[in-house]
């Protein structure tokens, strides 16, 4: 009896703590689902929740890899999907891929467990084509789905102004750097005056200073515990770090050895999943872009502001981006909802032109928008060069740096272009 009471108390405490961290977001998650999730994954603090045919789907990362858990309303686990390294695929699947799909590059591999059975989903890429293969536990192909990332039919539906902006708009990169293993999930970058590149990553509360000349991290500055850190902006001697729940961490004089850290709470909905952070020097503010959504905004996503004078976040968006614009389409085979067509992963202001640059990692696109939320230009990014473009920054001359996460085996990279789009 004492053991059960202790367990109930611990679980209740965990649920309460998770609620404070917006782990449930704005989705109405039943209590039975909360209990089961907290019991199975007690260390997870950042989750994207969605509903699927009356069930509740949780997307999160564990040990740096993507996971998805699907629950019924009464808390029963329906299925569990985990991203895996290709080395952990069954031998029969690897042999099939080698024999029949050698011209494709393996992008991602997942293991799905449902009803006591396992199946494997493998995503392949070849030039502009994607192929998704489903295998049973024995390694036999049970389903095959093919699609084109940007095929001719889709291109014919786009206005001429978008057709002129192809994957070659940025030109060939002038430089490229591979990042060390602890920056495989690089999520935000900012350029320092001395040429170093400040990097943050998804799981660790630290600023990594990468030297592009030495091609190595020369310093690491811890500012907080584990968390999903997505963006970084530098203002003088201070750094502002954006967490995916919308919280801003102000790291004062971050290179002095003992920086002071102030946490500024978010006013945003948990479903908004903030990833983009830009310093607007002209208006003495930070701009925050949301990868996720808030249903109160209707068919649009908002850009929010954080005043650097009052150190407060504005409740309402400073401007809206309509999702019903030309050129906004989802490139994923499985579109979950209408909000998927635009999922900003980074946000920056061009230092020369003043243009607002919006990077979308999920759809592999780079946009220029104005303060009315209208998309002025867009370009499709090359996934072979930038697998998952999460971070972006500019030099004073307007040179563009884009950081991309690595795959289960590949390294994160930073790619430099002579100019923007």
């Amino acid at each position: 009896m004492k053991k059960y009471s202790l367990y109930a108390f611990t679980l209740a405490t965990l649920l309460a703590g998770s609620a404070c961290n917006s782990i449930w977001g704005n989705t109405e998650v039943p209590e039975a689902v909360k209990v089961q999730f907290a019991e199975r994954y007690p260390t997870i603090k950042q989750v994207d929740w969605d509903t699927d045919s009356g069930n509740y789907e949780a997307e999160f990362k564990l040990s740096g890899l993507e996971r998805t858990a699907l629950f019924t309303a009464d808390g029963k686990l329906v299925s569990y999907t985990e991203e895996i390294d290709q080395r952990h695929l069954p031998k029969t699947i690897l042999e099939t891929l080698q024999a029949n799909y050698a011209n494709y590059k393996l992008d991602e591999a997942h293991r799905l467990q449902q009803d006591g059975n396992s199946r494997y989903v493998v995503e392949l890429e070849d030039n502009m084509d994607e192929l998704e293969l489903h295998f049973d536990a024995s390694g036999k192909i049970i389903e095959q789905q093919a699609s084109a990332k940007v095929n001719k039919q889709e291109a014919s539906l786009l206005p001429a102004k978008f057709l002129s902006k192809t994957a070659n708009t940025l030109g060939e990169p002038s430089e490229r750097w591979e990042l060390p293993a602890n920056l495989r999930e690089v999520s935000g970058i900012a350029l320092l005056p001395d040429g170093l590149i400040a990097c943050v990553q998804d799981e660790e509360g630290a600023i990594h200073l990468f030297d592009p000349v030495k091609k190595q991290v020369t310093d690491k500055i811890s500012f907080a515990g584990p968390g999903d850190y997505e963006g970084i902006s530098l203002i003088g001697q201070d750094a502002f770090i954006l967490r995916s729940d919308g919280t801003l961490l102000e790291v004062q004089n971050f290179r002095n050895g003992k920086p002071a850290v102030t946490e500024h709470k978010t006013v945003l909905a948990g479903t908004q999943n903030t990833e983009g952070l830009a310093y607007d020097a002209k208006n003495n503010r930070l701009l925050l872009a949301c990868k996720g959504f808030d249903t109160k905004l209707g068919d649009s996503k908002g850009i929010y502001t954080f005043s650097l004078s009052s150190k407060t976040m504005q409740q309402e968006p400073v401007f809206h981006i309509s999702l019903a614009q030309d050129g906004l389409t989802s490139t994923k085979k499985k579109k979950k909802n209408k909000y998927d067509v635009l999922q900003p992963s980074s946000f920056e202001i061009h230092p020369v032109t003043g243009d607002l640059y919006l990077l979308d990692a999920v759809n592999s696109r780079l946009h220029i928008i104005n303060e009315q939320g209208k998309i002025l230009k867009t370009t499709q990014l090359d996934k072979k060069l930038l697998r998952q473009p999460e971070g972006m920054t500019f030099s004073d001359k307007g040179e563009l740096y884009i950081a991309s996460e690595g795959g289960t085996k590949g390294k994160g990279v930073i790619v430099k272009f002579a100019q923007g789009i």
Side-chain angles (χ1 to χ4, degrees):
M1 186 70 179
K2 289 182 179 179
K3 182 177 180 181
Y4 175 80
S5 298
L6 179 60
Y7 170 77
F9 174 77
T10 303
L11 188 58
T13 303
L14 177 61
L15 289 172
S18 298
C20 293
N21 290 327
S22 301
I23 191 173
W24 313 118
N26 272 8
T27 303
E28 293 295 331
V29 182
E31 197 66 26
V33 177
K34 292 182 179 181
V35 170
Q36 284 299 313
F37 185 88
E39 181 180 350
R40 290 173 181 273
Y41 315 108
T43 63
I44 302 302
K45 302 299 181 185
Q46 297 293 331
V47 187
D48 287 334
W49 285 94
D50 203 352
T51 55
D52 183 5
S53 301
N55 294 323
Y56 295 83
E57 183 183 74
E59 289 187 355
F60 56 98
K61 285 188 176 182
L62 189 60
S63 301
L65 298 176
E66 297 173 354
R67 317 289 171 127
T68 302
L70 186 66
F71 297 89
T72 61
D74 59 1
K76 179 183 177 182
L77 182 65
V78 177
S79 64
Y80 177 70
T81 305
E82 56 183 337
E83 181 185 3
I84 61 174
D85 190 291
Q86 67 182 57
R87 296 172 299 174
H88 299 146
L89 287 169
K91 183 179 179 181
T92 50
I93 295 179
L94 292 173
E95 290 173 347
T96 298
L97 295 176
Q98 181 61 37
N100 302 308
Y101 302 93
N103 58 320
Y104 283 86
K105 175 185 175 183
L106 196 154
D107 184 31
E108 290 186 4
H110 296 84
R111 177 168 49 223
L112 170 65
Q113 300 175 53
Q114 186 173 6
D115 298 327
N117 299 314
S118 295
R119 61 190 295 186
Y120 297 85
V121 180
V122 177
E123 297 180 12
L124 305 174
E125 291 184 343
D126 176 27
N127 194 15
M128 294 302 289
D129 294 326
E130 289 182 342
L131 190 63
E132 185 175 283
L133 302 175
H134 294 240
F135 298 84
D136 63 17
S138 69
K140 178 183 177 181
I141 295 179
I142 56 178
E143 186 179 348
Q144 177 174 314
Q145 300 176 3
S147 67
K149 299 175 196 173
V150 182
N151 58 39
K152 292 181 180 179
Q153 182 178 5
E154 287 175 331
S156 68
L157 300 176
L158 297 178
K161 64 179 180 179
F162 288 102
L163 291 177
S164 64
K165 299 301 181 181
T166 66
N168 296 320
T169 302
L170 290 171
E172 293 297 321
S174 57
E175 293 186 75
R176 178 182 180 276
W177 300 275
E178 288 191 346
L179 299 174
N182 60 350
L183 285 175
R184 183 176 71 87
E185 294 196 46
V186 59
S187 54
I189 57 174
L191 196 61
L192 288 158
D194 59 6
L196 297 182
I197 304 174
C199 309
V200 293
Q201 54 112 307
D202 280 353
E203 298 182 335
E204 183 183 19
I207 301 171
H208 302 257
L209 300 185
F210 179 77
D211 188 329
V213 176
K214 296 180 180 179
K215 299 180 180 180
Q216 65 183 34
V217 171
T218 57
D219 197 6
K220 176 181 171 182
I221 302 151
S222 297
F223 60 83
D228 189 6
Y229 304 102
E230 295 291 349
I232 178 171
S233 286
L234 304 181
I235 305 173
Q237 303 300 313
D238 302 334
F240 283 84
I241 315 295
L242 177 65
R243 208 164 61 197
S244 62
D245 63 359
T247 299
L248 275 170
L249 290 96
E250 180 181 358
V251 188
Q252 298 172 324
N253 202 7
F254 71 98
R255 298 185 73 177
N256 76 347
K258 294 181 180 179
V261 180
T262 303
E263 185 173 306
H264 302 284
K265 297 295 184 181
T266 181
V267 299
L268 306 180
T271 53
Q272 288 183 276
N273 189 14
T274 46
E275 292 200 2
L277 182 67
Y279 173 42
D280 181 3
K282 180 181 177 181
N283 296 294
N284 194 35
R285 64 185 181 180
L286 294 170
L287 298 173
L288 289 76
C290 303
K291 177 182 178 182
F293 60 91
D294 184 350
T295 54
K296 292 186 298 184
L297 300 182
D299 294 340
S300 67
K301 291 191 176 183
I303 300 295
Y304 294 80
T305 63
F306 177 86
S307 169
L308 291 169
S309 56
S310 65
K311 298 294 177 68
T312 57
M313 192 179 297
Q314 186 174 314
Q315 291 277 352
E316 299 299 325
V318 65
F319 57 92
H320 296 73
I321 305 173
S322 171
L323 301 179
Q325 298 189 58
D326 292 331
L328 287 183
T329 57
S330 176
T331 61
K332 303 300 287 184
K333 291 182 283 292
K334 296 180 180 179
K335 180 181 174 182
K336 287 187 175 181
N337 55 53
K338 61 185 177 182
Y339 304 106
D340 288 355
V341 298
L342 180 66
Q343 301 185 60
S345 56
S346 189
F347 191 37
E348 285 294 332
I349 299 176
H350 194 290
V352 179
T353 65
D355 289 333
L356 304 177
Y357 274 67
L358 201 60
L359 183 66
D360 183 336
V362 176
N363 294 301
S364 294
R365 293 193 182 111
L366 180 61
H367 303 283
I368 292 179
I369 63 174
N370 61 20
E371 292 194 2
Q372 287 70 49
K374 182 179 180 180
I375 295 177
L376 305 178
K377 294 182 182 179
T378 192
T379 188
Q380 194 76 31
L381 300 174
D382 184 356
K383 282 199 71 175
K384 289 186 176 180
L385 182 65
L386 297 162
R387 177 186 177 273
Q388 188 172 326
E390 294 284 347
M392 172 176 57
T393 192
F394 286 99
S395 71
D396 290 340
K397 297 184 293 184
E399 299 161 317
L400 174 62
Y401 295 72
I402 298 179
S404 174
E405 287 191 8
T408 52
K409 291 180 65 178
K411 296 181 178 180
V413 298
I414 295 177
V415 178
K416 178 183 176 181
F417 298 92
Q419 59 186 14
I421 60 177

